[in-house]
Amino acid sequence: MKKSTSRAHSNIAFIKYWGKMDDEQRLPSNGSISMNLSNLYTTTTVEFDEALVEDDITINGEKNIKKIQKVARHLDRIRKQGNILTRARVVSENNFPMGVGLSSSATGFAALTHAATHALDLSLSEREISILARLGSGSACRSIPDGFVEWKEGNTSDESYAYSLYPENHWDIIDLVALTSKKEKEVSTTEGQKAAQTSPFFLERLKNIPGKISDCKKYLLEKDFTKFGTLVEKDALEMHAIMITSQPALLYWLPETIDMMKKIVGWRKDGLEVYFTINTGQNVHLLCRGTDVGQLVKKIREVEYVKQTIINKPSKGTYALTSHLF
Ligand code: PMV
């Protein structure tokens, strides 16, 4: 059978997804907006093979049982769609560390869905691939379309998909990741999201989301960096307020996370226009204009606890490659 390889880029949410309406179907409680990131990606090769008695899955050179089971469950969804039972060989590689809040589950499931559906010649639309990717990991659906992306929450699985608002060349902004720890986070986002509704502020957040989504789209269209950055920072803090006030409380921030936020506010006061957004505390995403990246990199490199900086431009979503991993 045909061998297929795809590359999916990670995405950073400007208006965040936190909380699910339906756990099984991974229907989010709210819509979200994101941008794909050029320098964080997963490459995956898939080949279905009649000779295999079970799926043969290797992720970053390892056969980790928990991760393999998640991939095999997702392959079952794709097999169901293709009406076949054939097992697959899967090799997947990230160009960044896993489990530290850089969305390796988003890139992993986006690349897997794209490669596996192409290997089976399922001829799905981008919308259908996005829906399938969502069932593997919610935010994976946003890594399928190009550039700047909106994920509509939808009331049913068929309505909950991501689509491109603008291509990657729409706006020259930079997402600089300052990695402060490479230790895997203790609570996965899938686990954490289950508690979101227990926060007394959860419904208040949901009420304000439609307004935030429309503001974010407006600022993206107008390329108003000040209004955009202010909104993005506010939404990240609001999502973390939900996490912190959930039962059990989920505090992803590390001492370095808080220090970095304070530094960013200070740099801004000094005239360097930079904003932060944070998914989990191990790393902070810094957003700046393309013209300011040199100055920002210099500042970040002086921070002693930053282990690595990754500079991302807006990127394409998920696409096929002609060279394979096996
Ligand atoms: O797709 P998940 O279940 O890993 O959730 C991702 C949630 C955040 O990254 C914290 C926010 C977002 O919208 O990406």
Side-chain angles (χ1 to χ4, degrees), residues 13 16-18 26 105 137-139 142 189-190 193 239 243 279:
K16 309 274 189 197
Y17 143 57
W18 195 250
R26 288 186 193 273
S105 62
S137 168
S139 52
R142 292 191 312 232
T189 46
T190 301
Q193 299 227 29
M239 179 187 73
M243 292 167 162
N279 287 346

Side-chain angles (χ1 to χ4, degrees), residues 15-136:
I15 303 298
K16 309 274 189 197
Y17 143 57
W18 195 250
K20 278 176 234 169
M21 216 154 50
D22 182 325
D23 228 27
E24 189 62 16
Q25 296 283 316
R26 288 186 193 273
L27 289 180
S29 301
N30 65 277
S32 51
I33 293 190
S34 63
M35 176 182 103
N36 291 325
L37 302 172
S38 62
N39 258 330
L40 294 166
Y41 53 82
T42 297
T43 310
T44 301
T45 300
V46 178
E47 183 177 34
F48 289 86
D49 183 346
E50 303 285 356
L52 290 172
V53 287
E54 57 182 41
D55 292 317
D56 177 5
I57 299 161
T58 311
I59 303 168
N60 287 330
E62 287 177 14
K63 293 188 178 292
N64 173 305
I65 281 290
K66 249 176 100 179
K67 288 177 182 145
I68 285 176
Q69 282 172 346
K70 276 175 89 176
V71 170
R73 273 202 298 276
H74 197 57
L75 285 170
D76 286 342
R77 290 185 190 107
I78 293 164
R79 277 189 277 261
K80 202 167 157 200
Q81 193 113 353
N83 227 348
I84 62 151
L85 294 169
T86 314
R87 305 288 119 179
R89 187 170 295 109
V90 176
V91 174
S92 188
E93 274 166 21
N94 293 342
N95 78 331
F96 61 92
M98 285 176 92
V100 297
L102 292 173
S103 302
S104 56
S105 62
T107 53
F109 282 100
L112 175 69
T113 308
H114 196 273
T117 55
H118 280 77
L120 290 177
D121 275 328
L122 292 187
S123 310
L124 302 182
S125 64
E126 182 185 272
R127 172 174 167 169
E128 289 167 320
I129 297 176
S130 167
I131 290 169
L132 251 181
R134 190 201 77 232
L135 294 167

